[in-house]
Amino acid sequence: MCSAMLASCSSSTKESAAETDDGFIVKVGDEAPDFTVTTIDGEKYTLSEFRGKVVMLQFTASWCRVCREEMPFIESDIWQRHKQDENFVLLAIDRDEPAERVVQFVENIGITYPIAPDPESKVFTKYASAEAGVTRNVLIGRDGKIIYLTRLYEEPKFKKFVAYIDSVLVQ
């Protein structure tokens, strides 16, 4: 099942992430690299502390046009539907920007899900190459392993991603 999910999530529908130029350095089935960040609201998130929950990481930046397009859909189709689910965590990680810029970005976009600055891309480069771009999403299963990867925003691909999150949360 993972290989089928990976194929639907990579930038090429016929190749694995390792065989495409999507910039990921992780793949479905890998243990998600651990990290600790502090959100713009002052909350500390350590990925390994969420073992037993489904975790969605969204890598974003204010300068990313595609991110700005995708984020309202993450807000409405994922966050608003699952924010009360104690088995789900959503965390956006803003690449290469200071906290002040991230605060302004959040206010402009109107999202309410947690977002943490990653001013030196230390978290980003655990998941993707330094030259890779955003937007990208990583879904991590209850066992701490990556179960789904997406790159860029396309409505049909996003709908599949949302359906997959819904199905994992009812398991």
Side-chain angles (χ1 to χ4, degrees):
M1 180 160 161
C2 285
S3 62
M5 284 297 120
L6 177 60
S8 71
C9 299
S10 68
S11 59
S12 171
T13 58
K14 302 286 187 203
E15 301 172 329
S16 73
E19 297 168 333
T20 65
D21 190 24
D22 65 8
F24 279 110
I25 59 173
V26 295
K27 62 185 181 306
V28 168
D30 286 354
E31 185 81 21
D34 201 18
F35 61 86
T36 300
V37 294
T38 302
T39 68
I40 59 173
D41 295 327
E43 290 189 51
K44 189 173 177 180
Y45 281 67
T46 298
L47 181 62
S48 58
E49 292 178 0
F50 296 111
R51 209 37 89 78
K53 299 180 184 222
V54 175
V55 178
M56 178 185 160
L57 304 177
Q58 183 221 4
F59 291 97
T60 189
S62 68
W63 44 263
C64 171
R65 179 192 56 78
V66 179
C67 300
R68 289 175 172 273
E69 182 180 350
E70 180 184 50
M71 292 174 85
F73 293 105
I74 291 173
E75 174 74 24
S76 63
D77 297 358
I78 299 172
W79 181 241
Q80 290 303 319
R81 290 177 55 209
H82 298 296
K83 69 181 180 180
Q84 300 301 325
D85 188 333
E86 63 186 32
N87 294 309
F88 181 69
V89 175
L90 170 57
L91 176 63
I93 299 173
D94 187 280
R95 180 182 182 188
D96 284 334
E97 298 184 302
E100 305 78 41
R101 183 168 296 150
V102 178
V103 168
Q104 185 177 26
F105 176 42
V106 167
E107 289 172 1
N108 290 340
I109 295 294
I111 63 161
T112 63
Y113 53 91
I115 185 167
D118 184 20
E120 297 174 12
S121 293
K122 289 181 179 180
V123 177
F124 181 83
T125 55
K126 290 179 179 232
Y127 289 84
S129 69
E131 299 79 29
V134 290
T135 189
R136 60 184 65 241
N137 300 306
V138 177
L139 191 64
I140 302 162
R142 298 177 206 285
D143 62 357
K145 294 189 178 186
I146 296 169
I147 58 175
Y148 207 105
L149 300 168
T150 69
R151 170 77 178 107
L152 300 175
Y153 172 77
E154 297 168 5
E155 186 178 351
K157 185 168 63 171
F158 184 79
K159 286 183 178 187
K160 286 181 184 177
F161 182 52
V162 170
Y164 189 73
I165 292 170
D166 292 346
S167 73
V168 170
L169 286 172
V170 297
Q171 295 176 1

